[in-house]
Amino acid sequence: MGEIAQRAGLAKGTVFRHFASKEDLLAAIMLQLLDRLTGTAERLADADDAALALAEFMADGVGALAADRAFCEVIGRPSLDHAGVRDGIGRLRDAADVLTARAQEQGTVRGDVTGTDIVLLLAGIHQTAAPLLAAQPQAWRRYLELALDGLRTTGARTLPHRPDHLDLGENAAARS
């Protein structure tokens, strides 16, 4: 925390007044991204073209991860134990559920896809493109298009194992 304060040009006390621990600071950073993505999903929820809205939401999410490649490694995983982050993930999943359901109602996204699938795909697409991003920063767009093709109703096969909800906290580790 001392190094973080120094790099930010702040006194240690200032950082500790706002964040009791490094974990709280990491959670706050993660929550900013989750809130931003949830806001994007909510803004797009009433779009005329629900499939296009879902694609825009996913592009925003993967693009945010690709723009800061260290984010998932440094902040993402450790912050998953924080209750506020788990709640933020739940809000994001719920917002993704709304976008997904609207696209399904319009007949453009397969019926067995969930908001949980969409949220997990954001990180999955980013991780797939990660080895290419240093040389090709937009490589993630290729894998996003591949994922979007898999979400479409045309030629879709039934998916195995439907996740009930997104729980990345302690309960998920206990079930593994």
Side-chain angles (χ1 to χ4, degrees):
M1 290 289 280
E3 185 178 339
I4 291 169
Q6 181 182 4
R7 287 185 180 200
L10 301 170
K12 284 187 214 179
T14 302
V15 176
F16 279 108
R17 261 193 306 280
H18 295 284
F19 306 102
S21 67
K22 182 175 128 184
E23 290 75 22
D24 287 342
L25 174 60
L26 294 177
I29 295 167
M30 182 68 161
L31 279 166
Q32 283 183 338
L33 175 65
L34 292 170
D35 289 346
R36 178 183 141 210
L37 294 177
T38 300
T40 298
E42 290 169 348
R43 177 179 55 80
L44 294 168
D46 293 324
D48 291 337
D49 185 333
L52 186 60
L54 183 61
E56 184 178 331
F57 165 73
M58 292 179 71
D60 186 51
V62 180
L65 296 173
D68 187 354
R69 294 191 312 254
F71 183 84
C72 289
E73 295 301 319
V74 175
I75 295 171
R77 288 189 185 108
S79 67
L80 294 177
D81 291 332
H82 193 278
V85 170
R86 288 194 307 271
D87 290 345
I89 291 169
R91 288 189 302 275
L92 179 62
R93 181 211 53 234
D94 292 346
D97 271 334
V98 170
L99 288 175
T100 304
R102 287 209 58 247
Q104 290 165 333
E105 289 167 7
Q106 290 182 2
T108 55
V109 169
R110 51 190 299 153
D112 54 356
V113 174
T114 68
T116 294
D117 294 326
I118 299 301
V119 171
L120 291 173
L121 277 172
L122 300 178
I125 294 164
H126 172 260
Q127 289 301 315
T128 299
L132 305 172
L133 292 176
Q136 301 172 45
Q138 298 297 310
W140 60 269
R141 292 185 182 280
R142 173 183 177 83
Y143 301 102
L144 174 60
E145 287 303 318
L146 283 169
L148 290 170
D149 279 351
L151 295 173
R152 291 188 177 94
T153 55
T154 309
R157 290 182 262 162
T158 302
L159 294 174
H161 180 70
R162 179 184 173 111
D164 294 326
H165 65 285
L166 185 58
D167 181 2
L168 300 177
E170 296 170 12
N171 295 335
R175 287 193 300 268
S176 298

